[in-house]
Amino acid sequence: MPDRKSTRRTVVIGNWKMHQTGAGGAALAAAIVAGLRPGRAEIAVAPPFTALTAVADAIRGSSIALAGQDVFHEPEGAFTGAVSAPMLAAAGCSLVLVGHSERRHVFGDDDEDVRRKARSVLDAGMRPVVCVGETLEQRDAGQAENVVREQLEATVHGLSDAELAPLAVAYEPVWAIGTGRTATPDTAEAMHRVIRASLASLAGSGTAERTPILYGGSVKGDNAAAILSGANVDGLLVGGASLRADSFLDICHAAG
Ligand code: 13P
């Protein structure tokens, strides 16, 4: 069996959530650019919408990519407060998170919203990072795998292998986000295997083998390498530890 992992590029994304102004974000991004050693991993930062342009300027000419934290599925129109995929692309984004658990649980995004968002990101020529993950209650009830499978199925349903070429998935167990309670490398790897098998049955082996599956939830410099050692763990989605250049750089460098 060939080592498929070596064919997938490791992806590390810093999700700044609702932190940083334009000026603060530009300074943080500049510090990341200055400290990042060349490596094989693809590194991206996801600032809030209001900081995208300033951060785009700060990372220009570097290898760091820009990501949106969310999107609305319509391209334009009377949708007060919303930001579309073409707008994010024009602001310099090449990736967009969709279905983050905070969007699902705080803002009420459901699977159909996530599917439409992912499709709009693909239509705008960017890579959707589809976030999935179970709550502690669901895990304790033995439903974790089913919940994740259903979230994934609802999102990729109706999309062909070719359409899904840019797809990335992030497994973020809700109980591990911002809690300091990281999934063990074995727990993460087990769910990543389930996700890859689901992708194979939903969209074909091409999609399954090519799609990077990131882990997120209390990732720090001192646990990043162990989590990444899983054969199906292709990257990291980092929240709190991405808000300081030194801790984010430790994680990026652990990713190679
Ligand atoms: P923390 O790394 O702060 O747990 O956040 C994870 C996350 O939600 C990244 O999207």
Side-chain angles (χ1 to χ4, degrees), residues 27-203:
L28 174 55
I32 295 167
V33 170
L36 186 64
R37 296 197 294 268
R40 197 180 159 268
E42 181 182 352
I43 311 295
V45 291
F49 294 145
T50 48
L52 282 173
T53 307
V55 172
D57 287 344
I59 61 176
R60 186 158 297 122
S62 79
S63 61
I64 297 172
L66 193 64
Q69 294 182 14
D70 185 42
V71 68
F72 185 61
H73 69 270
E74 293 286 351
E76 65 177 2
F79 303 105
T80 301
V83 171
S84 74
M87 291 170 178
L88 292 175
C93 293
S94 51
L95 308 107
V96 183
L97 309 182
V98 295
H100 190 280
S101 72
E102 287 144 22
R103 297 301 318 176
R104 293 179 190 264
H105 297 291
V106 182
F107 299 96
D109 286 13
D110 63 18
D111 283 339
E112 178 58 13
D113 295 320
V114 179
R115 191 187 68 77
R116 288 189 187 145
K117 289 177 180 203
R119 170 141 237 160
S120 77
V121 171
L122 290 168
D123 288 347
M126 296 178 291
R127 160 173 271 197
V129 182
V130 174
C131 304
V132 295
E134 80 286 358
T135 63
L136 187 57
E137 204 178 23
Q138 290 164 332
R139 173 158 286 266
D140 287 346
Q143 296 167 349
E145 293 187 3
N146 276 347
V147 167
V148 167
R149 248 191 239 110
E150 279 168 20
Q151 289 172 338
L152 202 58
E153 178 165 11
T155 308
V156 304
H157 162 79
L159 292 166
S160 67
D161 182 57
E163 286 172 308
L164 288 170
L167 177 74
V169 173
Y171 170 54
E172 294 207 314
V174 178
W175 45 270
I177 296 178
T179 58
R181 186 179 162 194
T182 320
T184 65
D186 286 349
T187 303
E189 169 60 17
M191 188 61 92
H192 283 227
R193 262 201 309 271
V194 168
I195 292 170
R196 202 170 305 285
S198 304
L199 286 173
S201 62
L202 291 166

Side-chain angles (χ1 to χ4, degrees), residues 15 17 100 102 172 176-179 216-220 237-241:
N15 175 11
K17 307 192 179 185
H100 190 280
E102 287 144 22
E172 294 207 314
I177 296 178
T179 58
S218 297
V219 174
K220 306 276 182 280
L237 182 52
V238 186

